[in-house]
Amino acid sequence: MTNPIFSTVPLGQLSAESKESERATARKDTIAPTIPVQPAYRVDPLARMAKGNAKWRTAAMRSHRTPTLLWFTRGQGRLTISGVTRGFGGHNLIFLPKHTMYGFEAIGQAYGSIVHLADDPNLSLPQTPLHLRFSDLAQQNEVSTMIDNLAREIDSDLPGKDRALALQAGLFSVWLERQIDNGPDYDMTPDAARKLAAAFTQLVERDFRQTHSVSDYAAALGVTTTHLTRSCNIACGRPASVILADRVHFEARRLLKETKYPVKAISKTLGFHSPAYFTRSFHKQTGQSPTAFRKAD
Protein backbone atom coordinates (compact mmCIF):
# COMPACT_ATOMS: atom_id res chain seq x y z
CA MET A 1 0.00 0.00 0.00
CA THR A 2 2.87 2.38 0.78
CA ASN A 3 4.96 3.32 -2.24
CA PRO A 4 8.12 5.39 -1.79
CA ILE A 5 8.44 7.50 -4.94
CA PHE A 6 12.22 7.60 -4.90
CA SER A 7 15.20 7.45 -2.62
CA THR A 8 16.64 10.95 -2.25
CA VAL A 9 20.21 11.23 -3.50
CA PRO A 10 22.41 12.16 -0.51
CA LEU A 11 24.13 15.47 -1.11
CA GLY A 12 27.43 13.80 -0.37
CA GLN A 13 27.03 11.70 -3.51
CA LEU A 14 26.54 14.64 -5.84
CA SER A 15 29.39 15.46 -8.17
CA ALA A 16 32.04 18.03 -7.44
CA GLU A 17 30.52 20.29 -10.09
CA SER A 18 27.19 20.23 -8.26
CA LYS A 19 28.79 21.08 -4.92
CA GLU A 20 30.61 23.99 -6.51
CA SER A 21 27.29 25.17 -7.97
CA GLU A 22 25.85 25.21 -4.46
CA ARG A 23 28.73 27.30 -3.17
CA ALA A 24 28.40 29.69 -6.11
CA THR A 25 24.70 30.05 -5.42
CA ALA A 26 25.42 31.07 -1.84
CA ARG A 27 27.85 33.73 -3.07
CA LYS A 28 25.63 35.15 -5.80
CA ASP A 29 24.03 38.49 -5.00
CA THR A 30 20.50 38.40 -6.40
CA ILE A 31 17.29 40.28 -5.86
CA ALA A 32 14.97 37.80 -4.20
CA PRO A 33 11.27 38.64 -4.35
CA THR A 34 9.64 36.70 -1.57
CA ILE A 35 6.10 35.57 -0.92
CA PRO A 36 4.70 36.61 2.48
CA VAL A 37 5.23 33.84 5.02
CA GLN A 38 2.13 31.66 5.38
CA PRO A 39 0.95 30.14 8.67
CA ALA A 40 2.86 27.00 9.64
CA TYR A 41 -0.27 24.84 9.36
CA ARG A 42 -2.87 25.16 6.61
CA VAL A 43 -5.63 22.97 5.17
CA ASP A 44 -7.16 24.08 1.86
CA PRO A 45 -9.48 22.45 -0.68
CA LEU A 46 -7.60 20.99 -3.64
CA ALA A 47 -10.17 22.50 -5.99
CA ARG A 48 -9.04 25.98 -4.93
CA MET A 49 -5.57 25.36 -6.38
CA ALA A 50 -6.87 25.39 -9.96
CA LYS A 51 -9.84 27.73 -9.79
CA GLY A 52 -10.57 29.90 -12.83
CA ASN A 53 -7.67 30.06 -15.26
CA ALA A 54 -5.11 28.92 -12.67
CA LYS A 55 -4.67 25.33 -13.82
CA TRP A 56 -0.95 26.09 -14.07
CA ARG A 57 -0.87 25.98 -10.26
CA THR A 58 -1.43 22.22 -10.33
CA ALA A 59 -0.05 21.05 -13.69
CA ALA A 60 3.28 22.91 -13.68
CA MET A 61 6.28 21.63 -11.78
CA ARG A 62 6.59 23.34 -8.40
CA SER A 63 7.41 22.63 -4.74
CA HIS A 64 6.48 23.81 -1.26
CA ARG A 65 8.72 25.22 1.43
CA THR A 66 7.28 22.88 4.06
CA PRO A 67 6.14 19.22 4.17
CA THR A 68 2.83 18.79 2.37
CA LEU A 69 0.06 16.20 2.05
CA LEU A 70 -2.29 15.84 -0.91
CA TRP A 71 -5.47 13.91 -0.07
CA PHE A 72 -7.51 13.06 -3.18
CA THR A 73 -11.05 12.01 -2.21
CA ARG A 74 -12.40 12.07 -5.77
CA GLY A 75 -10.95 12.36 -9.26
CA GLN A 76 -8.17 10.77 -11.20
CA GLY A 77 -5.27 11.74 -13.41
CA ARG A 78 -1.49 11.71 -13.70
CA LEU A 79 0.92 12.78 -10.98
CA THR A 80 4.61 13.59 -11.51
CA ILE A 81 6.84 13.58 -8.43
CA SER A 82 10.61 14.02 -8.67
CA GLY A 83 10.53 13.32 -12.39
CA VAL A 84 8.51 10.09 -12.14
CA THR A 85 4.93 9.95 -13.46
CA ARG A 86 2.19 7.57 -12.35
CA GLY A 87 -1.58 7.57 -12.08
CA PHE A 88 -3.67 8.64 -9.09
CA GLY A 89 -7.30 8.14 -8.15
CA GLY A 90 -9.77 8.72 -5.36
CA HIS A 91 -8.62 8.08 -1.79
CA ASN A 92 -4.96 8.46 -2.66
CA LEU A 93 -2.68 10.23 -0.19
CA ILE A 94 0.58 11.82 -1.31
CA PHE A 95 3.24 12.94 1.15
CA LEU A 96 5.81 15.43 -0.13
CA PRO A 97 8.88 16.42 1.92
CA LYS A 98 9.74 20.10 1.62
CA HIS A 99 11.20 21.23 -1.73
CA THR A 100 9.97 18.11 -3.56
CA MET A 101 9.16 18.98 -7.17
CA TYR A 102 5.74 17.79 -8.33
CA GLY A 103 2.70 18.52 -10.47
CA PHE A 104 -0.54 16.76 -11.35
CA GLU A 105 -3.04 16.81 -14.18
CA ALA A 106 -6.56 15.73 -13.27
CA ILE A 107 -9.09 14.31 -15.70
CA GLY A 108 -11.95 16.66 -14.92
CA GLN A 109 -12.04 18.01 -11.37
CA ALA A 110 -10.05 16.62 -8.44
CA TYR A 111 -11.46 16.95 -4.95
CA GLY A 112 -9.78 16.65 -1.59
CA SER A 113 -7.40 18.65 0.59
CA ILE A 114 -3.89 20.03 0.53
CA VAL A 115 -2.35 20.03 3.99
CA HIS A 116 0.74 22.08 4.83
CA LEU A 117 2.64 21.04 7.94
CA ALA A 118 5.29 22.92 9.87
CA ASP A 119 8.93 22.49 8.89
CA ASP A 120 9.79 21.09 12.30
CA PRO A 121 12.50 18.39 12.57
CA ASN A 122 10.95 17.25 15.85
CA LEU A 123 7.99 15.87 13.87
CA SER A 124 10.28 13.22 12.31
CA LEU A 125 8.30 13.17 9.09
CA PRO A 126 9.47 10.87 6.25
CA GLN A 127 12.38 12.12 4.16
CA THR A 128 11.12 10.67 0.87
CA PRO A 129 7.81 11.13 -0.98
CA LEU A 130 5.07 8.55 -0.41
CA HIS A 131 2.03 7.51 -2.45
CA LEU A 132 -0.62 5.63 -0.47
CA ARG A 133 -3.81 4.14 -1.91
CA PHE A 134 -6.74 3.24 0.36
CA SER A 135 -9.63 1.00 -0.64
CA ASP A 136 -10.72 0.24 2.92
CA LEU A 137 -13.46 2.58 4.19
CA ALA A 138 -12.08 2.59 7.73
CA GLN A 139 -8.68 3.77 6.48
CA GLN A 140 -10.28 6.45 4.31
CA ASN A 141 -12.23 7.74 7.30
CA GLU A 142 -9.08 7.71 9.42
CA VAL A 143 -7.26 10.00 6.98
CA SER A 144 -10.23 12.37 6.66
CA THR A 145 -10.66 12.52 10.43
CA MET A 146 -7.02 13.45 11.02
CA ILE A 147 -7.26 16.23 8.42
CA ASP A 148 -10.56 17.48 9.84
CA ASN A 149 -9.12 17.56 13.36
CA LEU A 150 -6.12 19.55 12.17
CA ALA A 151 -8.34 21.98 10.25
CA ARG A 152 -10.60 22.44 13.28
CA GLU A 153 -7.63 23.28 15.47
CA ILE A 154 -6.30 25.73 12.87
CA ASP A 155 -9.63 27.58 12.91
CA SER A 156 -9.87 27.61 16.71
CA ASP A 157 -8.67 30.31 19.06
CA LEU A 158 -8.26 28.14 22.14
CA PRO A 159 -5.42 28.23 24.66
CA GLY A 160 -2.47 26.00 23.76
CA LYS A 161 -3.28 26.13 20.05
CA ASP A 162 0.34 25.94 18.88
CA ARG A 163 1.06 22.89 21.03
CA ALA A 164 -2.18 21.24 19.92
CA LEU A 165 -1.24 21.75 16.25
CA ALA A 166 2.20 20.24 16.83
CA LEU A 167 0.61 17.25 18.54
CA GLN A 168 -1.86 16.77 15.66
CA ALA A 169 1.03 16.89 13.19
CA GLY A 170 2.92 14.42 15.38
CA LEU A 171 0.01 11.99 15.07
CA PHE A 172 0.26 12.35 11.28
CA SER A 173 3.97 11.56 11.46
CA VAL A 174 3.44 8.42 13.56
CA TRP A 175 0.60 7.33 11.27
CA LEU A 176 2.78 7.72 8.16
CA GLU A 177 5.59 5.77 9.82
CA ARG A 178 3.17 2.93 10.53
CA GLN A 179 1.98 2.92 6.91
CA ILE A 180 5.59 2.54 5.79
CA ASP A 181 6.15 -0.33 8.22
CA ASN A 182 2.95 -2.11 7.19
CA GLY A 183 3.19 -1.52 3.44
CA PRO A 184 5.05 -3.45 0.75
CA ASP A 185 8.73 -2.65 0.46
CA TYR A 186 9.63 -1.91 -3.13
CA ASP A 187 11.31 0.95 -4.91
CA MET A 188 9.26 3.17 -7.21
CA THR A 189 12.44 3.88 -9.20
CA PRO A 190 13.92 0.41 -9.81
CA ASP A 191 15.79 1.36 -12.94
CA ALA A 192 18.61 3.77 -13.62
CA ALA A 193 16.49 6.06 -15.82
CA ARG A 194 14.03 6.90 -13.05
CA LYS A 195 16.77 7.33 -10.47
CA LEU A 196 18.57 9.74 -12.79
CA ALA A 197 15.35 11.71 -13.41
CA ALA A 198 14.82 11.96 -9.64
CA ALA A 199 18.38 13.21 -9.12
CA PHE A 200 17.91 15.74 -11.94
CA THR A 201 14.75 17.21 -10.38
CA GLN A 202 16.54 17.48 -7.04
CA LEU A 203 19.26 19.61 -8.64
CA VAL A 204 16.75 21.66 -10.64
CA GLU A 205 14.78 22.44 -7.48
CA ARG A 206 17.94 23.72 -5.86
CA ASP A 207 19.50 25.61 -8.77
CA PHE A 208 16.77 26.65 -11.23
CA ARG A 209 17.16 30.33 -10.30
CA GLN A 210 20.79 30.26 -11.48
CA THR A 211 21.09 27.55 -14.12
CA HIS A 212 18.79 27.21 -17.15
CA SER A 213 21.02 24.91 -19.18
CA VAL A 214 20.23 21.19 -19.28
CA SER A 215 23.84 20.55 -20.24
CA ASP A 216 25.00 22.07 -16.95
CA TYR A 217 22.77 19.70 -14.99
CA ALA A 218 23.90 16.76 -17.09
CA ALA A 219 27.54 17.61 -16.40
CA ALA A 220 26.83 17.89 -12.66
CA LEU A 221 25.24 14.43 -12.76
CA GLY A 222 28.10 12.96 -14.79
CA VAL A 223 26.04 12.05 -17.88
CA THR A 224 25.51 13.39 -21.37
CA THR A 225 22.62 15.71 -22.18
CA THR A 226 21.20 13.08 -24.54
CA HIS A 227 21.25 10.43 -21.83
CA LEU A 228 19.60 12.74 -19.29
CA THR A 229 16.86 13.69 -21.76
CA ARG A 230 16.24 10.05 -22.66
CA SER A 231 15.99 9.09 -18.97
CA CYS A 232 13.48 11.87 -18.23
CA ASN A 233 11.37 10.79 -21.20
CA ILE A 234 11.30 7.24 -19.85
CA ALA A 235 10.43 8.37 -16.31
CA CYS A 236 7.69 10.90 -17.03
CA GLY A 237 7.23 11.34 -20.78
CA ARG A 238 8.90 14.76 -20.79
CA PRO A 239 12.43 15.70 -21.87
CA ALA A 240 14.71 17.33 -19.32
CA SER A 241 14.37 20.73 -21.01
CA VAL A 242 10.58 20.72 -20.52
CA ILE A 243 10.86 19.82 -16.84
CA LEU A 244 13.36 22.63 -16.30
CA ALA A 245 11.36 25.24 -18.24
CA ASP A 246 8.17 24.20 -16.45
CA ARG A 247 9.77 24.75 -13.04
CA VAL A 248 11.30 28.11 -13.95
CA HIS A 249 8.10 29.49 -15.42
CA PHE A 250 5.91 28.23 -12.60
CA GLU A 251 8.05 30.35 -10.29
CA ALA A 252 7.77 33.28 -12.69
CA ARG A 253 3.97 33.03 -12.73
CA ARG A 254 3.84 32.67 -8.97
CA LEU A 255 5.94 35.80 -8.45
CA LEU A 256 3.92 37.76 -11.00
CA LYS A 257 0.65 36.86 -9.29
CA GLU A 258 1.71 36.95 -5.64
CA THR A 259 4.12 39.89 -5.48
CA LYS A 260 4.23 43.42 -6.85
CA TYR A 261 7.88 43.21 -7.85
CA PRO A 262 8.60 44.60 -11.32
CA VAL A 263 9.24 42.25 -14.21
CA LYS A 264 12.88 43.34 -14.28
CA ALA A 265 13.41 42.21 -10.67
CA ILE A 266 11.68 38.88 -11.25
CA SER A 267 13.75 38.34 -14.39
CA LYS A 268 16.99 38.93 -12.46
CA THR A 269 15.92 36.72 -9.57
CA LEU A 270 15.22 33.82 -11.93
CA GLY A 271 18.61 34.11 -13.58
CA PHE A 272 17.63 35.50 -17.00
CA HIS A 273 20.26 37.54 -18.82
CA SER A 274 17.85 40.39 -19.54
CA PRO A 275 14.17 41.34 -19.05
CA ALA A 276 13.69 41.10 -22.83
CA TYR A 277 14.95 37.51 -22.90
CA PHE A 278 12.73 36.68 -19.92
CA THR A 279 9.72 38.15 -21.69
CA ARG A 280 10.39 36.13 -24.86
CA SER A 281 10.86 32.93 -22.87
CA PHE A 282 7.75 33.53 -20.78
CA HIS A 283 5.63 34.23 -23.86
CA LYS A 284 6.89 31.06 -25.52
CA GLN A 285 5.96 29.04 -22.43
CA THR A 286 2.59 30.62 -21.61
CA GLY A 287 1.38 32.44 -24.71
CA GLN A 288 1.29 35.75 -22.81
CA SER A 289 3.71 38.48 -21.85
CA PRO A 290 4.56 38.73 -18.15
CA THR A 291 2.60 41.99 -17.88
CA ALA A 292 -0.48 40.53 -19.57
CA PHE A 293 -0.35 37.44 -17.38
CA ARG A 294 -0.14 39.57 -14.23
CA LYS A 295 -3.20 41.61 -15.25
CA ALA A 296 -5.33 38.62 -16.29
CA ASP A 297 -7.85 37.14 -13.86
Side-chain angles (χ1 to χ4, degrees):
M1 179 180 63
T2 304
N3 302 331
I5 299 293
F6 75 105
S7 298
T8 302
V9 179
L11 292 180
Q13 294 181 14
L14 296 177
S15 66
E17 293 92 341
S18 179
K19 292 180 179 179
E20 175 57 31
S21 174
E22 185 175 22
R23 290 191 289 268
T25 297
R27 294 193 300 266
K28 188 171 182 179
D29 181 20
T30 62
I31 300 173
T34 56
I35 307 299
V37 176
Q38 298 285 346
Y41 294 96
R42 306 194 310 279
V43 176
D44 295 314
L46 274 174
R48 185 183 299 174
M49 293 177 65
K51 63 181 180 179
N53 296 320
K55 189 176 180 180
W56 58 271
R57 290 189 180 274
T58 61
M61 294 293 102
R62 100 302 309 271
S63 70
H64 300 291
R65 298 174 181 174
T66 61
T68 301
L69 292 158
L70 303 176
W71 173 229
F72 294 98
T73 55
R74 282 197 306 168
Q76 59 182 333
R78 291 164 59 83
L79 175 76
T80 301
I81 301 177
S82 300
V84 179
T85 297
R86 64 198 313 260
F88 73 87
H91 300 112
N92 281 202
L93 181 74
I94 315 300
F95 173 73
L96 303 165
K98 65 178 181 179
H99 302 312
T100 299
M101 192 188 302
Y102 81 102
F104 67 89
E105 296 181 66
I107 301 172
Q109 183 67 63
Y111 295 91
S113 302
I114 177 168
V115 181
H116 299 280
L117 302 175
D119 182 17
D120 182 355
N122 292 323
L123 294 178
S124 300
L125 289 161
Q127 297 300 302
T128 58
L130 301 172
H131 186 170
L132 297 84
R133 305 174 187 270
F134 299 105
S135 56
D136 182 77
L137 182 59
Q139 292 176 316
Q140 297 169 12
N141 289 337
E142 187 176 16
V143 177
S144 294
T145 298
M146 286 192 296
I147 293 174
D148 289 344
N149 288 342
L150 183 67
R152 191 176 301 112
E153 194 62 49
I154 290 171
D155 292 337
S156 76
D157 194 22
L158 298 173
K161 176 178 178 177
D162 290 345
R163 188 159 60 94
L165 287 170
L167 290 171
Q168 293 281 359
L171 288 175
F172 252 124
S173 178
V174 171
W175 181 84
L176 286 169
E177 182 179 331
R178 290 173 177 172
Q179 303 310 307
I180 295 171
D181 289 342
N182 294 333
D185 182 19
Y186 71 92
D187 192 351
M188 281 296 297
T189 57
D191 58 57
R194 287 169 176 79
K195 289 181 178 179
L196 180 58
F200 169 63
T201 62
Q202 184 183 12
L203 288 183
V204 169
E205 186 58 37
R206 193 189 70 191
D207 292 341
F208 71 87
R209 293 176 181 84
Q210 286 78 37
T211 304
H212 297 171
S213 169
V214 172
S215 61
D216 289 342
Y217 289 101
L221 291 165
V223 298
T224 66
T225 303
T226 300
H227 181 59
L228 177 58
T229 293
R230 184 186 303 118
S231 296
C232 290
N233 271 319
I234 291 171
C236 65
R238 309 183 200 188
S241 59
V242 170
I243 295 173
L244 176 57
D246 207 30
R247 182 65 184 96
V248 172
H249 288 94
F250 172 85
E251 198 69 14
R253 286 179 285 199
R254 188 176 74 103
L255 291 170
L256 287 165
K257 287 295 189 183
E258 299 180 19
T259 76
K260 295 183 179 179
Y261 284 85
V263 171
K264 181 178 180 180
I266 293 173
S267 168
K268 184 174 181 179
T269 294
L270 294 178
F272 286 89
H273 298 306
S274 70
Y277 179 56
F278 169 62
T279 296
R280 289 195 299 272
S281 180
F282 188 88
H283 190 279
K284 180 180 179 181
Q285 184 78 7
T286 68
Q288 294 178 289
S289 69
T291 302
F293 176 81
R294 171 172 268 171
K295 292 179 178 179
D297 293 333

